[in-house]
């Protein structure tokens, strides 16, 4: 496939049952599709869970991914989003020796704040669009982050 | 009704109308086998290897159109069965395979004969279940049969821990299946069908491309009707053999890697491909960018994921082929068969230029002759199974198929060792027909232990071993593409196939001449016991014509013109 590869966000509604997540991830690995990030949590007051998968591929590959996902028996619905609100969270641990007010301002600029201060470390949290989370992570490089964790994207169609 | 999990399995089989179960007992499935012992509603056929049980169930399913059933134990019993599951998955064969599992309390402890069975079967089944409570068993088994046979059919695996088969629980099989997340789309869009028929009417060189989905949806006779009324020629895939009768004037032949010149040229020249239940497999299309390059594509398939997967469909129609073809038939009058007179003429010319043929040899029998001869002698009275390799292609090319479900072979996965057990399943499903297995000297040894099953259960499969002392298809590629380096394909060291069959209680023949072959086949049909007919054939015969892997359909290697000798 020489067609252009583009980033896509796909939401999948699945029956919340044993091994349903491995059905999804096996499908991606078995057919050679990419997973950039994957988040999953139960939908309140229902027997379903919702997955948000960020993937990339040509138009044909994305079409195959949605069709193959839909073929899985416990999959109720597959949405391939066009116009959507997308958010991701990141937590970052800094040494206590770094400038707390700088870090706080940076977090603030990306919809976040300092969420924990211990004896030897600070934990900052941001919640923003994945692209902006990336910008944040590059901006805080000079504050010697010790550990970084990203949640993966969640998305809702407008 | 309060019964044990093991009894539930039996009750579910009875409720589903299962009459034959293929399997092999072992520790984790013993509770169910104890219940099999106590009942007389269905027969159990003890294969001598779990792989053969699943292939036999496949043969049974393909010949009967019903769901095939196999039963195996945990661990090695299950892993042996995996090839069969994968084979059924690739060829969309409806199966329910029940396996035992170690008790729930031992799962995850590396217990004796424990393996993560559902983890292994996930990518090679349509769906699978690990049943953790006998209260779920009725629902799960009912869903398993429903999922296996509906939509695009496929194998469903149900893994049951030993303590669940011992658990007493409520069994109610009358509740209808209610799967909110699984609703196969069986009726094609009427608007889309109408547009497709208009496109056909406007095309000059339309071509039906018939696939195995037609057999699965029992649509062969409707498809015959549609072809006869529209006058549009047709090519069949390997999996669709028998959709049209071999003598149908609209049938060109099989297409693809070993398809006929005319079939492949027709596909290259057509301006409108009408794909019915076919999936544009690489063995069919050759080089994708050159495949039916100037044609529009109508694609009818029950599986949306098959449509526009490899070749973009201009008219995608998701639905059961039978339903869609019935709707097409209502509009068949809009198409004038006379329009395609010159197109049919063109195809006939292709066929006259390079017909499917072979050269006779005065010294050794030709394998193609054997296939043709079986066709002449048994024709419609035989069901034809095959193993995998050169013999399989010759069977597909030269047997005069007359009906759907007559040809049973491993297409997608290409499983050597498939033929013999499958032919037993075919015989169990269709005892009134002679069950032939065309096989090779390589393939037959991959499930040769089934001689015992066939003798014990009186399943008189006639195995015709086209013996060229080679792993022939690989040898052919080595000859053509590896400068004749025949690496590990020379099978000169062989058992005595006649004695081998006799050792199990079957009969055997070694055949060198046409007369000997006729006599052996006649005798084997009359004796009605499992037979090996070993035919010593030309060693270096190649399957021709051939599209080299990745090549274009119109660039075929053709049968060399016969050298004039004496």
């Amino acid at each position: 496939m020489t067609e252009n590869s583009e980033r896509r966000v796909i939401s999948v509604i699945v029956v919340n049952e044993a091994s349903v997540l491995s059905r999804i991830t096996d499908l991606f690995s078995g057919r050679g599709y990419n997973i950039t990030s994957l988040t999953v949590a139960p939908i309140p007051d229902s027997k379903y869970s919702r997955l948000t998968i960020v993937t990339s591929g040509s138009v044909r590959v994305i079409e195959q991914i949605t069709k193959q996902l839909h073929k899985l028996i416990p999959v109720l619905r597959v949405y391939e989003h066009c116009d959507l609100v997308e958010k991701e969270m990141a937590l970052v641990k800094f040494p206590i020796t770094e400038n707390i007010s700088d870090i706080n301002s940076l977090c603030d600029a990306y919809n976040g704040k300092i969420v924990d201060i211990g004896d030897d470390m600070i934990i900052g949290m941001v919640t923003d669009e994945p692209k902006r989370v990336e910008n944040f992570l590059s901006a805080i490089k000079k504050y010697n982050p010790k550990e970084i964790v990203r949640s993966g994207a969640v998305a809702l169609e407008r | 009704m309060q019964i044990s999990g093991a009894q539930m399995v039996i009750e579910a089989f009875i409720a589903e109308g299962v009459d034959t179960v293929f399997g092999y007992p072992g520790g984790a499935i013993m509770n169910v086998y104890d219940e099999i012992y106590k009942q007389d509603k269905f027969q159990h056929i003890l294969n001598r290897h779990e792989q053969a049980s699943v292939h036999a169930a496949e043969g049974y399913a393909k010949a009967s159109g019903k769901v095939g059933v196999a039963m195996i134990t945990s661990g090695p019993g299950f892993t042996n069965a995996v090839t069969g599951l994968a084979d059924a998955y690739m060829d969309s064969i409806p199966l329910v395979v029940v396996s035992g599992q170690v008790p729930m309390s031992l799962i995850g402890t590396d217990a004796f004969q424990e393996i993560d069975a559902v983890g292994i079967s996930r990518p090679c089944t349509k769906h699978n279940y690990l049943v953790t409570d006998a209260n779920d068993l009725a629902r799960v088994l009912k869903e398993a049969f429903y999922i296996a046979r509906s939509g695009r059919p496929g194998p469903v695996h149900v893994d049951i821990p030993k303590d669940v088969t011992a658990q007493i629980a409520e069994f109610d099989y009358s509740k209808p299946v209610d799967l909110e997340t699984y609703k196969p789309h069986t009726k094609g869009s009427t608007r889309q069908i109408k547009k497709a028929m208009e496109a056909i009417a406007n095309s000059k060189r339309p071509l039906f491309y018939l696939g195995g989905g037609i057999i699965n949806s029992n649509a062969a006779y409707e498809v015959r009707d549609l072809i006869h009324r529209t006058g549009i020629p047709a090519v069949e895939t390997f999996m669709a053999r028998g959709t049209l009768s071999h003598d149908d004037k609209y049938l060109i032949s099989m297409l693809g890697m070993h398809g006929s010149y005319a079939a492949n040229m027709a596909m290259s020249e057509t301006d409108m491909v009408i794909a019915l239940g076919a999936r544009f497999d690489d063995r069919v299309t050759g080089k994708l960018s050159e495949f039916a390059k100037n044609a529009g594509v109508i694609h009818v398939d029950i599986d949306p994921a098959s449509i526009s997967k490899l070749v973009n469909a201009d008219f995608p129609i998701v639905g059961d082929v039978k339903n869609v073809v019935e709707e097409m038939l209502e509009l068949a009058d809009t198409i004038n068969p006379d329009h395609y007179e010159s197109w049919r003429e063109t195809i006939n010319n292709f066929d006259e230029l390079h017909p499917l043929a072979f050269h006779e040899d005065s010294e050794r029998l030709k394998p193609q002759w054997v296939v043709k001869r079986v066709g002449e002698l048994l024709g419609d009275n035989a069901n034809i199974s095959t193993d995998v390799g050169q013999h399989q292609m010759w069977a597909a090319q030269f047997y005069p198929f007359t009906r759907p479900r007559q040809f049973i072979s491993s297409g997608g996965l290409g499983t050597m060792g498939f033929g013999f057990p499958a032919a037993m399943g075919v015989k169990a499903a269709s005892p009134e027909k002679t069950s032939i297995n065309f096989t090779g000297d390589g393939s037959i040894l991959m499930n040769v232990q089934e001689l015992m099953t066939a003798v014990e259960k009186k399943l008189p499969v006639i195995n015709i071993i086209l013996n060229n002392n080679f792993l022939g298809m690989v040898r052919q590629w080595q000859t053509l593409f590896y400068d004749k380096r025949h690496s590990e394909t020379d099978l000169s060291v062989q058992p005595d196939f006649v004695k081998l069959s006799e050792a199990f209680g079957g009969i055997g023949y070694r055949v060198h001449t046409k007369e000997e072959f006729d006599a052996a086949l006649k005798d084997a049909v009359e004796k009605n016991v499992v037979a090996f007919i070993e035919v010593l054939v030309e060693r270096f015969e190649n399957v021709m014509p051939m599209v080299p892997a990745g090549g274009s359909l119109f660039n075929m290697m053709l049968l060399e013109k016969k050298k004039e000798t004496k």
Side-chain angles (χ1 to χ4, degrees):
Chain A
M1 303 281 161
T2 50
E3 295 152 85
N4 286 337
S5 181
E6 52 178 299
R7 178 182 183 278
R8 302 297 283 179
V9 180
I10 296 171
S11 293
V12 192
I13 314 292
V14 297
V15 177
N16 187 6
E17 62 182 21
S19 81
V20 65
L21 188 56
S22 38
R23 289 186 203 281
I24 307 265
T25 53
D26 279 9
L27 173 70
F28 275 77
S29 61
R31 292 189 181 264
Y33 306 142
N34 299 315
I35 298 181
T36 308
S37 78
L38 184 155
T39 65
V40 56
I43 299 173
D45 305 319
S46 84
K47 58 175 182 175
Y48 297 107
S49 287
R50 182 174 178 125
L51 286 88
T52 309
I53 302 171
V54 181
T55 182
S56 59
S58 65
V59 174
R60 173 163 293 177
V61 166
I62 298 294
E63 185 184 324
Q64 265 297 306
I65 291 175
T66 58
K67 284 174 165 179
Q68 293 290 349
L69 282 168
H70 205 81
K71 247 175 102 167
L72 296 173
I73 308 286
V75 169
L76 180 69
R77 258 192 283 282
V78 182
Y79 303 102
E80 188 207 332
H81 296 297
C82 299
D83 185 19
L84 47 80
V85 176
E86 204 186 333
K87 293 289 172 196
E88 183 177 5
M89 192 176 93
L91 294 173
V92 184
K93 191 186 280 179
F94 301 95
I96 194 83
T97 49
E98 295 298 326
N99 186 324
I100 297 180
S101 64
D102 277 11
I103 291 170
N104 194 35
S105 318
L106 264 170
C107 288
D108 191 47
Y110 289 90
N111 282 321
K113 58 182 180 181
I114 288 171
V115 287
D116 194 76
I117 301 181
D119 292 342
D120 55 358
M121 57 84 206
I122 314 161
I123 295 178
M125 185 261 320
V126 292
T127 307
D128 214 323
E129 283 145 36
K131 207 89 254 138
R132 284 187 42 88
V133 170
E134 247 155 60
N135 294 344
F136 169 78
L137 292 176
S138 115
I140 49 108
K141 269 190 188 140
K142 59 178 171 188
Y143 300 98
N144 299 311
K146 294 294 167 212
E147 268 182 82
I148 298 173
V149 54
R150 298 177 67 164
S151 66
V154 291
L156 274 181
E157 198 138 24
R158 269 186 237 273
Chain B
M1 179 165 63
Q2 294 275 324
I3 54 175
S4 73
Q7 286 170 310
M8 291 181 193
V9 176
I10 307 301
E11 291 299 325
F13 287 179
I14 294 169
E16 293 290 345
V18 173
D19 58 22
T20 307
V21 173
F22 300 90
Y24 206 104
I29 194 75
M30 279 179 72
N31 291 335
V32 182
Y33 269 87
D34 193 43
E35 297 302 327
I36 287 180
Y37 185 87
K38 294 177 194 163
Q39 62 82 43
D40 60 359
K41 295 286 198 301
F42 57 83
Q43 65 165 337
H44 179 274
I45 291 178
L46 175 71
N47 297 92
R48 285 346 191 237
H49 190 290
E50 289 88 349
Q51 183 193 351
S53 295
V54 184
H55 290 328
E58 288 182 88
Y60 179 92
K62 289 197 82 169
S64 67
K66 300 201 295 187
V67 177
V69 178
M71 188 177 293
I72 55 198
T73 193
S74 65
F78 169 74
T79 54
N80 279 345
V82 170
T83 303
L85 287 172
D87 191 271
Y89 186 56
M90 289 292 275
D91 284 348
S92 308
I93 301 172
L95 294 186
V96 169
V97 175
V98 174
S99 61
Q101 180 55 280
V102 301
M104 297 270 288
S105 56
L106 290 179
I107 287 181
T109 66
D110 304 314
F112 178 65
Q113 294 194 328
E114 183 192 359
I115 195 75
D116 175 13
V118 286
I120 292 173
S121 70
R122 201 172 293 130
C124 50
T125 51
K126 184 172 173 186
H127 195 50
N128 64 11
Y129 296 89
L130 170 63
V131 184
T132 55
D133 183 345
N135 284 299
D136 296 334
L137 207 44
R139 174 184 61 80
V140 165
L141 287 166
K142 194 157 187 168
E143 285 177 9
F145 277 90
Y146 173 71
I147 291 169
R149 75 165 82 89
S150 59
R152 177 177 179 175
V156 179
H157 168 219
V158 182
D159 197 34
I160 316 178
K162 192 170 184 179
D163 51 343
V164 174
T165 56
Q167 183 192 345
I168 305 288
E170 180 61 25
F171 180 78
D172 177 5
Y173 208 71
S174 63
K175 281 185 202 152
V177 171
D178 176 28
L179 282 163
E180 199 183 351
T181 58
Y182 173 71
K183 302 206 188 308
H185 201 80
T186 57
K187 194 187 169 305
S189 146
T190 302
R191 213 178 101 244
Q192 194 74 345
I193 291 170
K194 197 157 168 267
K195 275 165 68 183
M197 290 302 273
E198 280 164 16
I200 297 171
N202 290 330
S203 66
K204 294 188 174 64
R205 299 182 304 279
L207 183 70
F208 277 107
Y209 160 37
L210 312 177
I214 296 169
I215 314 273
N216 278 338
S217 87
N218 293 316
Y221 293 95
E222 288 78 2
V223 168
R224 287 181 183 193
D225 204 12
L226 183 63
I227 288 170
H228 294 157
R229 286 181 57 190
T230 56
I232 297 170
V235 293
E236 285 178 352
T237 66
F238 176 81
M239 298 304 293
R241 291 308 258 160
T243 300
L244 295 180
S245 182
H246 68 101
D247 52 4
D248 194 306
K249 71 168 176 171
Y250 296 110
L251 173 63
I252 305 167
S253 189
M254 179 170 81
L255 86 162
M257 181 173 272
H258 292 298
S260 78
Y261 177 76
N264 285 343
M265 287 309 288
M267 187 52 93
S268 304
E269 301 273 305
T270 178
D271 65 350
M272 183 56 70
V273 178
I274 312 158
L276 303 179
R279 61 183 179 88
F280 297 85
D281 175 76
D282 57 284
R283 286 300 194 256
V284 160
T285 61
K287 191 177 181 183
L288 265 178
S289 56
E290 303 283 340
F291 176 78
K293 208 174 175 181
N294 304 310
V297 174
I298 295 165
H299 192 173
V300 182
D301 206 295
I302 197 157
D303 176 9
S306 281
I307 296 177
S308 297
K309 179 172 68 174
L310 294 156
V311 170
N312 192 51
D314 303 293
F315 301 91
I317 301 173
V318 178
D320 188 287
V321 171
K322 189 166 182 148
N323 294 341
V324 174
V325 169
E326 276 169 358
E327 276 198 59
M328 285 180 158
L329 274 167
E330 287 170 23
L331 302 167
D333 292 339
T334 59
I335 291 165
N336 181 356
D338 298 337
H339 278 179
Y340 311 124
E341 191 62 49
S342 71
W343 167 228
R344 292 193 297 262
E345 192 59 31
T346 307
I347 293 169
N348 287 340
N349 290 341
F350 287 139
D351 203 41
E352 276 162 30
L353 193 61
H354 296 289
L356 256 187
F358 61 96
H359 300 315
E360 289 274 16
D361 184 294
S362 52
E363 296 196 351
R364 280 202 130 180
L365 282 179
K366 282 300 181 84
Q368 301 95 326
W369 177 86
V370 178
V371 172
K372 273 187 89 164
R373 188 63 185 154
V374 176
E376 285 161 15
L377 294 174
L378 299 176
D380 185 58
N381 292 322
N383 285 320
I384 304 299
S385 305
T386 79
D387 265 302
V388 170
Q390 288 186 310
H391 66 270
Q392 177 190 32
M393 291 301 122
W394 287 318
Q397 288 177 331
F398 289 100
Y399 198 87
F401 299 103
T402 44
R403 57 190 157 81
R405 303 196 181 278
Q406 186 180 14
F407 182 53
I408 281 85
S409 190
S410 167
L413 197 65
T415 311
M416 289 172 68
F418 171 87
F420 188 9
M424 292 197 301
V426 171
K427 187 68 187 175
S430 178
E432 73 291 353
K433 301 276 184 197
T434 302
S435 184
I436 299 285
N437 173 36
F438 282 112
T439 179
D441 46 312
S443 284
I444 189 62
L445 290 181
M446 285 210 185
N447 261 320
V448 77
Q449 78 287 339
E450 291 309 301
L451 275 164
M452 204 67 264
T453 314
V455 167
E456 185 194 33
K457 292 294 176 182
K458 300 194 169 50
L459 294 166
V461 171
I462 299 175
N463 294 281
I464 299 175
I465 306 170
L466 300 174
N467 188 354
N468 53 13
N469 290 91
F470 268 126
L471 200 54
M473 189 58 97
V474 182
R475 194 279 308 152
Q476 174 170 340
W477 283 50
Q478 289 170 336
T479 300
L480 296 173
F481 312 121
Y482 289 83
D483 205 16
K484 298 185 184 166
R485 290 185 300 277
H486 294 151
S487 176
E488 301 298 319
T489 47
D490 189 320
L491 304 181
S492 287
V493 178
Q494 287 191 335
D496 181 327
F497 285 110
V498 175
K499 282 188 188 159
L500 182 61
S501 179
E502 288 170 357
F504 283 88
I507 51 175
Y509 311 82
R510 183 169 296 110
V511 165
H512 304 82
T513 66
K514 292 181 176 178
E515 295 71 30
E516 284 174 5
F517 181 76
D518 283 9
L521 184 61
K522 189 163 171 281
D523 195 53
V525 172
E526 273 168 20
K527 286 219 170 85
N528 209 28
V529 288
V530 64
F532 275 6
I533 302 179
E534 178 195 7
V535 189
L536 300 160
V537 297
E538 164 60 38
R539 287 198 79 193
F540 289 93
E541 190 71 6
N542 288 338
V543 181
M544 286 291 152
M546 178 176 190
V547 179
S552 315
L553 285 188
F554 51 81
N555 252 336
M556 302 191 78
M557 302 167 80
L558 295 159
L559 184 70
E560 285 172 39
K561 296 284 181 201
K562 192 170 185 173
K563 284 168 240 138
E564 292 300 329
T565 47
K566 279 162 268 186

